[in-house]
């Protein structure tokens, strides 16, 4: 079994910062890409940022220059540093990871439970 546990969400004023963390645990053999998605009320879940096992990153245009994704492979953890937050960043943020677990012959995607980020104006 594999679990993704997120932390770091909360309420912040516009212009403020938050740091999200997501730790993968369980019988993990390897982790491919990891990323963060978000879903606002009435909207579809959308990619915010992603990072490969080698450290290559990809960002949604709306967060470029404000958010930074990073990972600690030794800790099976991915982070999202969010600066200059705007009210439109308000959403539930979900962690995603592509993982091979012990006994499996292929990778599959896992999701965290979601953490609420609310930015007040």
């Amino acid at each position: 079994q594999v679990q993704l546990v997120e932390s770091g969400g909360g309420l912040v004023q516009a212009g403020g910062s938050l740091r999200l963390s997501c730790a993968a645990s369980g019988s993990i053999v390897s982790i491919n890409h990891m990323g963060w998605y978000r879903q606002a009320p009435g909207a579809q879940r959308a990619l915010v940022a992603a990072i490969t096992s080698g450290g290559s990153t990809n960002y949604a245009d709306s967060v470029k220059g404000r958010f930074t994704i990073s990972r600690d492979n030794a800790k099976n953890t991915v982070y999202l540093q969010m600066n200059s937050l705007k009210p439109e960043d308000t959403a539930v943020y979900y962690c995603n990871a592509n993982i091979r677990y012990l006994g499996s012959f292929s990778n599959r995607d896992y999701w965290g439970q979601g953490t609420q980020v609310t930015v007040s104006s």
Side-chain angles (χ1 to χ4, degrees):
Q1 288 283 2
V2 173
Q3 275 192 317
L4 298 182
V5 178
E6 300 152 350
S7 61
L11 173 64
V12 65
Q13 287 190 332
S17 298
L18 283 174
R19 188 190 194 211
L20 305 183
S21 299
C22 172
S25 63
S27 302
I28 295 171
V29 173
S30 62
I31 302 179
N32 192 1
H33 54 267
M34 305 182 81
W36 291 93
Y37 289 70
R38 67 186 181 188
Q39 187 168 18
Q44 289 190 331
R45 192 175 297 187
L47 176 69
V48 176
I51 185 167
T52 68
S53 56
S56 297
T57 58
N58 181 42
Y59 296 93
D61 287 343
S62 60
V63 307
K64 284 180 181 176
R66 299 189 297 122
F67 291 10
T68 302
I69 190 170
S70 61
R71 64 189 282 175
D72 185 332
N73 291 329
K75 296 182 178 179
N76 291 335
T77 299
V78 63
Y79 307 96
L80 186 67
Q81 178 66 43
M82 303 184 294
N83 298 329
S84 301
L85 281 161
K86 305 175 181 180
E88 51 263 45
D89 294 318
T90 295
V92 178
Y93 284 70
Y94 295 91
C95 171
N96 169 267
N98 187 258
I99 296 173
R100 177 182 292 185
Y101 63 87
L102 187 64
S104 172
F105 295 99
S106 61
N107 289 41
R108 56 156 287 191
D109 279 344
Y110 290 85
W111 293 89
Q113 78 284 1
T115 185
Q116 178 70 46
V117 171
T118 302
V119 184
S120 63
S121 56

